[in-house]
């Protein structure tokens, strides 16, 4: 019989970006040994699961999202035996493990692509999208499609054919119409489930299929490489595999989708268990927008019986301390480019309130490493040090949110490594190290620790619906169960707290009985 309240419905899931968590071997890049040494941090934080960004062998053309072998570990991170040890050690601490699988594309260094390059007659060509070019000499790209990072989506090989890559040329797209591709990924899933992992995060989950007629992208016509219906048959097959492992292995999709209905289709009972809520991540700090986003999220998920997720940051977007530090309410994922001044104190205050919001809404909550330390985007990385391929293609770098974590000490590398970290850390992070924040009741880290511990112990925060409380339009207030309430003041002025029996937690100092702007509280209500 299936568990009516499986862990993935309301877990706190912590994203480890292995390059930047902790470096044990002194090469300036994080590794598995570093993660194992720093696992106590995650146990102290109280998270239920780790989502591990890719750790597989890779030329690192896209920081590991260009995978050359899904069944091994890149030497920069360690070995498969170390990965297995980490899974076992995490489990011993009660922390589950989710690995990242990238099905849309693989690395150009993968043996399939190397074989495909060797000869136009190689059967491996059919695993990819090789096509002749346009024009008499075939020198024109097969389509005018633009890649997801900007730039063209086709590259020509020596024999004159072109291949499709929706990301960098080092990430050729796979042909999901080929049964061999399906079989290979089903086998990869089993490989990791057999190693005890509890879930799979699915990269670019809506992209897999392409219209073989290769039509151009035209507004108002079906999109040729996004969200094609065939993709659902893949996830139904994957769900059967996950379920065959006893019912508590989860599939979590990275599904960027403008339409809420199309998004929810991925979460039907026989498909993915959950998907990242980019609607929430992308929402500006604005009460009307935020309330509408929460409602949209709840409705969309209720329609398919899936748990909502609440995500504030990840390795692809500007850290939310910086995003929320804007005094206007416009939002873009790479908003650090447009020169709008950022007030980091304001952003930090809002990020503290957002922590209480995202940890008390119904569903699962994701924490991107460093968010619990209140890290902001490093906007001062010299372009010469950018590593992100998006920089070359779209003029925007995601490196500012990928900077190695500060653990201890008063100057870089802040205990991350004995060497110079692969990306520079702001010297101002001396107050944001784990060491500096531990034991300081006013710190972001202690706020997260306390909130997660309270969430774990609070029955109302598990599997109860939320109900809006009518305070005033610019204040988001809701109850969970009979006696728990969260109040977030998004108005510009202090407001009276609704009646309550006791204050459980506050994201910042209260002003007598008043809740200051950009502050949130958890309350025990009178019943
Ligand atoms: C989504 C990942 O989150 C991102 O980091 C990566 O660049 C693209 N997929 C391509 O794999």
């Amino acid at each position: 019989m299936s568990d009516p309240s499986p862990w993935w419905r309301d877990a706190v899931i912590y994203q480890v970006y292995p390059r930047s968590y902790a470096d044990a071997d002194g090469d300036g890049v994080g590794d598995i040994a570093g993660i194992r040494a720093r696992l106590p941090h995650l146990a102290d934080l109280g998270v239920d699961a780790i989502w591990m960004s890719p750790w597989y062998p890779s030329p690192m053309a896209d920081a590991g999202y260009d995978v050359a072998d899904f069944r091994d570990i890149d030497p920069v991170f360690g070995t498969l035996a170390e990965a297995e040890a980490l899974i076992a050690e995490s489990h011993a601490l009660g922390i589950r493990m989710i690995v990242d699988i990238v099905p849309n594309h693989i690395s150009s260094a993968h043996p399939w692509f190397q074989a495909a390059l060797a000869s136009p007659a190689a059967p491996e060509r059919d695993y990819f999208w090789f096509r002749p070019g346009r024009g008499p000499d075939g020198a024109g790209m097969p389509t005018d499609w633009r890649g997801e990072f900007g730039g063209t989506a086709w590259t020509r090989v020596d024999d004159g054919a072109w291949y499709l890559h929706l990301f960098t040329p080092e990430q050729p797209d796979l042909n999901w119409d080929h049964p061999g591709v399906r079989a290979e990924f089903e086998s990869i899933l089993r490989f990791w489930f057999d190693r005890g992992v509890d879930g799979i995060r699915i990269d670019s989950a809506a992209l897999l299929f392409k219209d073989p007629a290769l039509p151009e992208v035209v507004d108002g016509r079906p999109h040729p490489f996004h969200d094609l219906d065939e993709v659902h048959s893949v996830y139904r097959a994957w769900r059967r595999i996950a379920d065959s492992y006893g019912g508590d292995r989860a599939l979590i999709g990275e599904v960027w989708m403008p339409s809420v209905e199309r998004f929810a289709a991925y979460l039907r009972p026989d498909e993915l268990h959950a998907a990242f809520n980019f609607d929430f991540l992308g929402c500006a700090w604005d009460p009307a927008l935020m309330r509408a986003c929460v409602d949209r999220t709840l409705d969309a998920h209720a329609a398919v019986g899936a748990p909502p997720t609440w995500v504030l940051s990840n390795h692809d977007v500007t850290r939310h301390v910086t995003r929320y530090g804007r005094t206007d309410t416009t939002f873009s994922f790479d908003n650090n480019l447009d020169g709008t001044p950022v007030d980091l104190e304001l952003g930090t205050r809002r990020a503290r309130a957002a922590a209480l919001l995202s940890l008390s809404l119904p569903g699962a909550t994701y924490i991107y490493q460093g968010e619990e330390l209140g890290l902001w985007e490093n906007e001062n990385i010299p372009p010469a040090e950018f590593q992100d391929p998006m920089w070359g293609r779209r003029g925007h770098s995601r490196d500012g949110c990928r900077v190695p974590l500060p653990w201890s000490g008063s100057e870089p590398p802040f205990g991350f490594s004995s060497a110079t970290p692969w990306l520079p850390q702001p010297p101002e992070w001396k107050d944001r190290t784990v060491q500096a924040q531990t034991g300081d009741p006013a710190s972001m880290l202690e706020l997260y620790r306390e909130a997660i511990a309270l969430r774990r112990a609070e029955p109302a925060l598990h599997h109860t619906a939320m109900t809006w409380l009518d305070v005033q339009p610019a204040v988001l207030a809701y109850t969970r169960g009979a006696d728990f309430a969260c109040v977030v003041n998004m108005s510009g002025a202090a407001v009276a707290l609704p009646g309550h029996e006791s204050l459980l937690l506050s994201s910042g100092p209260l002003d007598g009985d008043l809740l200051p702007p950009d502050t949130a509280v958890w309350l025990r209500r009178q019943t």
Side-chain angles (χ1 to χ4, degrees):
M1 222 178 76
S2 66
D3 180 354
S5 56
W7 65 276
W8 44 266
R9 295 196 79 91
D10 65 350
V12 175
I13 300 169
Y14 184 97
Q15 181 186 357
V16 170
Y17 194 69
R19 300 182 70 78
S20 297
Y21 187 76
D23 170 26
D25 68 2
D27 62 359
V29 179
D31 47 42
I32 296 175
I35 300 168
R36 290 171 71 188
R38 300 282 191 185
L39 262 187
H41 172 64
L42 300 184
D44 290 348
L45 192 56
V47 302
D48 300 301
I50 293 170
W51 149 30
M52 184 69 65
S53 278
W55 52 3
Y56 316 106
S58 165
M60 303 288 165
D62 184 17
Y65 282 91
D66 48 320
V67 180
D69 177 0
F70 275 104
R71 296 181 183 81
D72 205 348
I73 299 293
D74 195 279
V76 81
F77 299 132
T79 63
L80 185 58
E82 286 179 275
E84 289 170 339
L86 171 63
I87 295 167
E89 287 160 10
S90 304
H91 283 169
L93 291 169
I95 300 174
R96 296 176 193 264
M97 180 65 75
I98 297 164
V99 294
D100 206 326
I101 297 292
V102 188
N104 179 66
H105 45 267
I106 55 176
S107 165
S108 52
H110 188 284
W112 278 5
F113 194 73
Q114 287 300 308
L117 280 186
S119 152
E124 287 83 358
R125 281 232 167 173
D126 294 340
Y127 289 140
F128 302 93
W129 287 89
F130 278 87
R131 288 292 181 278
R134 285 183 292 191
D137 54 0
M141 281 181 297
T143 69
D144 294 335
W145 296 358
R146 308 290 294 172
E148 299 283 309
F149 288 170
T152 60
W154 297 92
T155 289
R156 199 170 193 195
V157 300
D158 289 347
D159 56 60
W162 296 78
Y163 69 90
L164 175 69
H165 51 83
L166 292 180
F167 294 92
T168 70
E170 293 81 13
Q171 294 165 293
D173 277 53
L174 287 164
N175 170 16
W176 273 88
D177 296 320
H178 194 303
V181 172
R182 288 185 183 242
E184 173 66 356
F185 274 85
E186 290 179 8
S187 152
I188 291 165
L189 245 53
R190 291 182 195 282
F191 178 88
W192 286 104
F193 282 146
D194 288 343
R195 270 156 193 77
V197 307
D198 304 278
I200 307 283
R201 180 261 187 191
I202 305 163
D203 187 80
S204 304
L207 290 182
L208 277 42
F209 285 85
K210 282 92 198 175
D211 181 340
L214 301 185
E216 291 300 344
V217 178
V218 179
D219 280 350
R221 300 240 188 98
H223 197 284
F225 59 83
H226 187 235
D227 191 31
L228 271 65
D229 286 337
E230 291 88 330
V231 75
H232 295 284
S233 69
V234 170
Y235 298 135
R236 279 195 285 269
W238 288 20
R239 178 64 176 251
R240 286 193 292 277
I241 293 172
D243 286 349
S244 74
Y245 281 82
D248 67 348
R249 313 292 175 107
L251 303 173
I252 300 155
E254 188 206 18
V255 183
W256 295 86
M257 196 71 59
S259 143
V260 172
E261 290 74 32
R262 298 291 304 189
F263 174 83
Y266 287 75
L267 302 175
R268 289 175 291 193
D270 60 347
E271 296 196 34
L272 306 184
H273 298 76
F276 300 104
N277 186 349
F278 294 119
D279 193 11
F280 181 71
L281 189 159
C283 187
W285 189 257
D286 172 276
L289 296 176
M290 200 63 108
R291 185 185 295 254
C293 171
V294 170
D295 283 337
R296 241 183 350 258
T297 298
L298 296 177
D299 290 350
H301 289 78
V304 285
T309 66
W310 308 101
V311 188
L312 293 168
S313 279
N314 67 28
H315 64 293
D316 289 331
V317 303
T318 302
R319 281 191 178 273
H320 63 275
V321 165
T322 301
R323 294 198 323 261
Y324 290 156
R326 293 172 70 112
T327 43
D328 59 6
T329 53
T330 54
F331 176 86
S332 98
F333 289 113
D334 25 273
N335 66 14
N336 54 337
L337 275 186
D338 67 4
T340 304
V342 171
D343 175 347
L344 288 178
E345 265 178 42
L346 176 69
T348 302
R349 214 161 46 242
R350 290 175 171 174
R352 294 176 65 87
L356 297 200
L357 173 69
S358 66
L359 285 164
S360 65
L361 288 166
T365 303
Y366 285 78
I367 296 174
Y368 174 48
Q369 70 177 31
E371 154 182 345
E372 80 283 15
L373 304 177
L375 301 187
W376 58 84
E377 185 84 0
N378 183 0
E379 299 187 85
N380 295 319
I381 302 175
E385 293 182 39
F386 282 152
Q387 312 253 345
D388 182 10
M390 197 187 261
W391 168 245
R393 300 177 73 82
R394 201 160 87 188
H396 169 63
S397 165
R398 298 167 293 180
D399 290 319
C401 67
R402 299 176 173 180
V403 174
L405 293 189
W407 291 95
S408 59
S410 55
E411 56 190 38
F414 294 123
F416 166 75
S417 171
S418 52
T420 304
W422 71 284
L423 287 171
Q425 301 158 304
E428 298 80 12
W429 281 2
K430 64 181 186 312
D431 301 328
R432 304 265 166 156
T433 64
V434 173
Q435 186 184 47
Q437 298 192 48
T438 295
D440 173 359
S443 69
M444 185 73 91
L445 178 57
E446 293 297 352
L447 178 74
Y448 266 86
R449 284 177 176 159
E450 212 178 329
I452 295 170
L454 271 170
R455 170 189 168 106
R456 192 169 270 209
E458 177 63 51
L461 290 180
H462 302 278
H463 318 300
T464 64
M466 65 166 275
T467 308
W468 290 113
L469 274 176
D470 206 7
V471 177
Q472 56 154 282
V475 175
L476 295 196
Y478 49 91
T479 58
R480 299 281 312 274
D483 64 355
F484 179 95
C486 175
V487 185
V488 189
N489 183 2
M490 293 187 166
S491 77
V495 295
L497 285 176
H500 58 280
E501 190 178 281
S502 60
L503 180 69
L504 297 173
L505 189 58
S506 171
S507 72
L510 299 188
D511 180 5
D513 272 350
L514 297 178
L515 183 63
D518 302 313
T519 308
V521 286
W522 285 357
L523 301 174
R524 175 78 62 219
R525 304 182 72 217
Q526 283 128 354
T527 47

